């Protein structure tokens, strides 16, 4: 006797993060409609008082058939549980027992769509940590990009900046996004060495290499330069004028059933603020020179002064 979706779901350790529907009438997937998660006029996330719309693509409808078929076709782009074949549903439900298993990325995205929704209207902390776990196992570039954006934006929308403080130590973060820039700028939060390093990771290949070689040493060098230039280990960006800086449109969430204003956002492109970038570049250039000196010191018995003199003669 084949198992049903209900039976398999009972074996899932992450069942509380799933959206499971027992409705016998399955809604039609219409791509021109949107699920009712949106931002209301006050800027708060809501999921009420919206017209009928498509189901969340991650919702598991238990009455849809499943069959034990291990030879299934790959899922298409922008997949959904409803549009899976019975064999694909069986494979997906079995994979949910252990989401660290290797699998076609379409299955990862279906689960992930629901986690985005959980971060906004459900169990934020558990969904956030589950996405971090997925990122550390499934290294697909598209998934890494979408999930990085979602973690940052959800934390800001839910007022949970604490979850971002050490995020780059829990999972690989490729950039300091414009939404992080905007949060720091509007709340007058100065940038620390970690934030400056992430910004430079996007701008300079040498920074990317240094962060992989010896992250702690580069951060230490940045703090040393900040202290020498500003008398503090942080960099205040709130005094820079961004009024004439161009906006850019960015994706916040991958779940295509979210409303347009929630899924995407127009935001100041801080990387186009010339004076701000010049200030950060100056900090980085001095920090990287110090980093090179410390690396050279590790490889020799020379004093820092002797190493500096050798590098000066090479120029």
């Amino acid at each position: 006797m084949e198992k049903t979706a209900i039976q398999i779901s009972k074996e899932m350790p992450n069942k509380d993060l799933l959206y499971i529907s027992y409705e016998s009438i399955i809604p039609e997937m219409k791509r021109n409609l949107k699920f009712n998660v949106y931002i209301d006029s006050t800027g708060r996330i809501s999921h009420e008082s919206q017209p009928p719309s498509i189901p969340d693509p991650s919702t598991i409808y238990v009455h849809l058939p499943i069959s034990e078929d291990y030879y299934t076709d790959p899922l298409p782009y922008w997949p959904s549980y409803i549009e899976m074949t019975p064999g694909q549903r069986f494979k997906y439900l079995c994979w949910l027992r252990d989401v660290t298993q290797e699998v076609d990325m379409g299955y990862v995205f279906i689960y992930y769509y629901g986690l985005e929704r959980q971060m906004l209207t459900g169990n934020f902390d558990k969904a956030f940590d589950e996405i971090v776990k997925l990122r550390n196992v499934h290294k697909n570039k598209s998934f890494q990009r979408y999930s990085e954006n979602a973690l940052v934006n959800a934390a800001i929308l839910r007022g949970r900046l604490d979850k971002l403080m050490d995020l780059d130590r829990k999972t690989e973060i490729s950039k300091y996004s414009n939404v992080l820039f905007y949060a720091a700028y509007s709340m007058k939060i100065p940038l620390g060495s970690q934030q400056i390093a992430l910004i430079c990771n996007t701008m300079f290949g040498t920074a990317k290499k240094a962060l992989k070689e010896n992250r702690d040493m580069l951060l230490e060098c940045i703090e040393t330069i900040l202290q020498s230039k500003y008398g503090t280990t942080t960099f205040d960006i709130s005094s820079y004028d961004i009024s004439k800086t161009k906006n850019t449109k960015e994706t916040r969430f991958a779940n295509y059933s979210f409303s347009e204003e929630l899924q995407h956002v127009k935001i100041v492109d801080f990387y186009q603020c010339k004076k701000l970038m010049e200030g950060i570049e100056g900090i980085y250039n001095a920090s990287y020179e110090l980093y090179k000196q410390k690396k050279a010191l590790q490889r020799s018995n020379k004093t820092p002064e002797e190493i500096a003199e050798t590098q000066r003669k090479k120029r």
Side-chain angles (χ1 to χ4, degrees):
M1 178 179 176
E2 291 187 348
K3 288 188 175 183
T4 65
I6 298 175
Q7 290 173 316
I8 295 176
S9 67
K10 291 179 180 179
E11 303 169 8
M12 298 172 187
N14 49 0
K15 184 179 178 180
D16 59 327
L17 289 175
L18 302 174
Y19 291 94
I20 300 175
S21 174
Y22 295 86
E23 295 179 10
S24 58
I25 299 176
I26 307 303
E28 182 181 356
M29 291 292 290
K30 293 182 178 179
R31 301 285 176 161
N32 62 328
L33 296 176
K34 295 289 182 181
F35 180 73
N36 55 343
V37 174
Y38 67 106
I39 296 180
D40 64 20
S41 59
T42 67
R44 294 177 300 179
I45 301 167
S46 179
H47 53 99
E48 300 173 351
S49 303
Q50 284 289 86
S53 51
I54 69 170
D56 184 287
S58 71
T59 301
I60 297 171
Y61 288 85
V62 298
H63 296 294
L64 286 176
I66 63 173
S67 63
E68 194 168 344
D69 181 1
Y70 295 95
Y71 301 97
T72 58
D73 294 328
L75 293 176
Y77 287 109
W78 309 109
S80 70
Y81 185 83
I82 286 179
E83 294 178 330
M84 286 180 178
T85 66
Q88 289 169 336
R89 293 191 193 107
F90 178 80
K91 182 176 180 179
Y92 174 64
L93 294 171
C94 290
W95 173 76
L96 286 175
R97 295 166 173 166
D98 179 7
V99 296
T100 63
Q101 298 178 86
E102 184 177 349
V103 74
D104 177 83
M105 283 305 300
Y107 297 99
V108 179
F109 267 102
I110 290 178
Y111 179 45
Y112 167 71
Y113 292 148
L115 295 176
E116 284 191 341
R117 181 178 169 191
Q118 281 283 355
M119 285 199 298
L120 295 179
T121 62
N123 191 332
F124 171 83
D125 285 283
K126 190 169 183 180
F128 189 100
D129 293 342
E130 187 76 355
I131 292 174
V132 170
K133 180 171 74 174
L134 292 176
R135 285 175 55 81
N136 292 338
V137 176
H138 303 286
K139 297 295 185 177
N140 175 272
K141 288 184 178 180
S142 179
F143 176 68
Q144 293 290 318
R145 183 177 69 255
Y146 277 119
S147 58
E148 182 175 320
N149 290 343
L151 289 172
V152 170
N153 280 278
I156 291 173
L157 286 170
R158 293 292 296 270
R160 292 296 307 277
L161 292 178
D162 58 295
K163 296 291 282 188
L164 302 178
M165 294 305 172
D166 61 346
L167 181 60
D168 59 329
R169 292 189 178 274
K170 294 179 179 178
T171 186
E172 184 177 350
I173 299 298
S174 64
K175 64 180 181 179
Y176 192 74
S177 64
N178 280 312
V179 70
L180 282 174
F181 253 128
Y182 188 79
Y185 185 88
S186 59
M187 291 186 282
K188 298 186 177 181
I189 300 173
L191 303 182
S193 59
Q194 295 187 53
Q195 291 75 42
I196 291 174
L198 277 176
I199 295 167
C200 296
N201 184 54
T202 303
M203 298 170 64
F204 310 108
T206 52
K208 189 182 296 291
K209 181 181 178 182
L211 285 169
K212 289 182 178 179
E213 283 180 345
N214 195 326
R215 172 190 175 82
D216 290 338
M217 181 183 286
L218 181 62
L219 295 181
E220 181 182 308
C221 291
I222 294 173
E223 290 177 1
T224 298
I225 297 302
L226 286 170
Q227 185 68 48
S228 66
K229 287 174 69 73
Y230 305 107
T232 178
T233 56
T234 59
F235 178 54
D236 182 17
I237 64 172
S238 62
S239 61
Y240 285 88
D241 181 12
I242 62 169
S243 61
K244 296 181 181 179
T245 305
K246 293 181 179 180
N247 287 345
T248 184
K249 184 176 181 180
E250 294 187 350
T251 298
R252 293 195 282 199
F253 302 103
N255 190 323
Y256 55 85
S257 65
F258 290 172
S259 63
E260 171 64 23
E261 65 270 23
L262 180 58
Q263 193 178 5
H264 301 100
V265 64
K266 286 185 178 180
I267 194 167
V268 175
D269 189 350
F270 283 83
Y271 287 89
Q272 298 301 315
C273 182
K274 186 177 179 180
K275 289 188 176 180
L276 174 58
M277 289 300 107
E278 286 175 349
I280 291 173
E281 184 175 0
I283 294 169
Y284 171 71
N285 288 338
S287 301
Y288 187 63
E289 285 299 316
L290 180 58
Y291 173 82
K292 288 192 296 182
Q293 291 177 23
K294 289 193 173 188
K295 289 288 290 183
L297 184 60
Q298 284 184 337
R299 296 190 295 266
S300 71
N301 294 321
K302 294 181 179 180
T303 66
E305 291 76 16
E306 290 172 330
I307 293 171
E309 178 63 20
T310 300
Q311 290 179 340
R312 185 187 66 78
K313 291 180 179 179
K314 289 181 178 179
R315 293 180 187 142

